[in-house]
Amino acid sequence: INHVRTTPQNYVNKLKNLLNYVQQENNACVLVYNKEKIILNKGIQTFYETIDILNSMQPVKELQLNEEIRITLQNNVNTTSNKTAVSSGRQSKSPHVPMKTLKQVLLDKKASLLKKYSKCFFTYDIFKNPELSVVFQITDEAFQNSRRNILLSPDINYFASYSFYNHKNQFTSVSTFV
């Protein structure tokens, strides 16, 4: 993330290189990279739009790591349910220890952080490859550029990220930005 913030024009080269991995498959435009397939709803236009934005962008200062704002999910991702459930401590199958949804954990953390910071944002991503996680937060086709706007905003100064590989061996990250 800091690489794209501080040298946006250099990051363009990474995006241009990824265009070599885009192919047509069953009437869909797909990025195939290290055995991971991602459908590009807008096709390669997603990359070209981002390249134009990064080429015209002035560098932004690096985000500083701030452990205080980190979301921590310690051994607590419930992978046996269709609903994502987390806790702030040990996972328990006991009905007497309720699990919070990830949404509730984020809402609680946001309420806490907004007491100290004027802005607070989260991103959540699941990819097999951490590098692709950042690429698709920057290209941000799925979220109408809201994540890209957060990551590249000069008004955002701090971040923290919690990541793990889930039961499907997919890289999963929850990042906080203030």
Side-chain angles (χ1 to χ4, degrees), residues 29-162:
C29 190
V30 180
L31 176 80
V32 181
Y33 188 80
N34 289 341
K35 299 180 183 177
E36 191 160 5
K37 292 183 178 185
I38 298 107
I39 294 174
L40 303 173
N41 293 324
K42 291 170 45 180
I44 58 174
Q45 186 61 30
T46 297
F47 283 86
Y48 287 123
E49 287 174 4
T50 305
I51 287 168
D52 288 344
I53 288 167
L54 295 179
N55 273 329
S56 66
M57 181 181 151
Q58 292 297 313
V60 179
K61 68 181 177 179
E62 283 189 5
L63 293 171
Q64 300 299 308
L65 179 63
N66 182 339
E67 296 291 338
E68 165 189 54
I69 67 174
R70 181 182 312 270
I71 296 284
T72 350
L73 310 173
Q74 304 162 342
N75 298 321
N76 53 10
V77 177
N78 181 348
T79 58
T80 60
S81 169
N82 288 334
K83 290 186 175 182
T84 301
V86 296
S87 69
S88 58
R90 294 183 58 203
Q91 184 172 339
S92 172
K93 294 183 180 182
S94 166
H96 304 295
V97 182
M99 300 288 281
K100 288 184 177 180
T101 64
L102 179 58
K103 180 179 177 180
Q104 188 59 52
V105 170
L106 295 177
L107 287 172
D108 291 350
K109 185 69 169 183
K110 186 170 190 165
S112 167
L113 291 174
L114 286 175
K115 292 176 184 175
K116 185 172 182 178
Y117 301 97
S118 61
K119 298 176 182 179
C120 175
F121 303 99
F122 301 102
T123 62
Y124 177 78
D125 248 355
I126 298 175
F127 277 95
K128 290 180 184 175
N129 183 311
E131 184 179 352
L132 286 181
S133 175
V134 173
V135 166
F136 281 94
Q137 287 184 67
I138 297 299
T139 56
D140 202 21
E141 178 182 75
F143 293 91
Q144 294 78 42
N145 306 324
S146 63
R147 295 185 308 168
R148 176 173 56 218
N149 293 341
I150 293 165
L151 297 177
L152 301 180
S153 172
D155 297 330
I156 301 296
N157 299 303
Y158 301 101
F159 85 103
S161 186
Y162 175 77

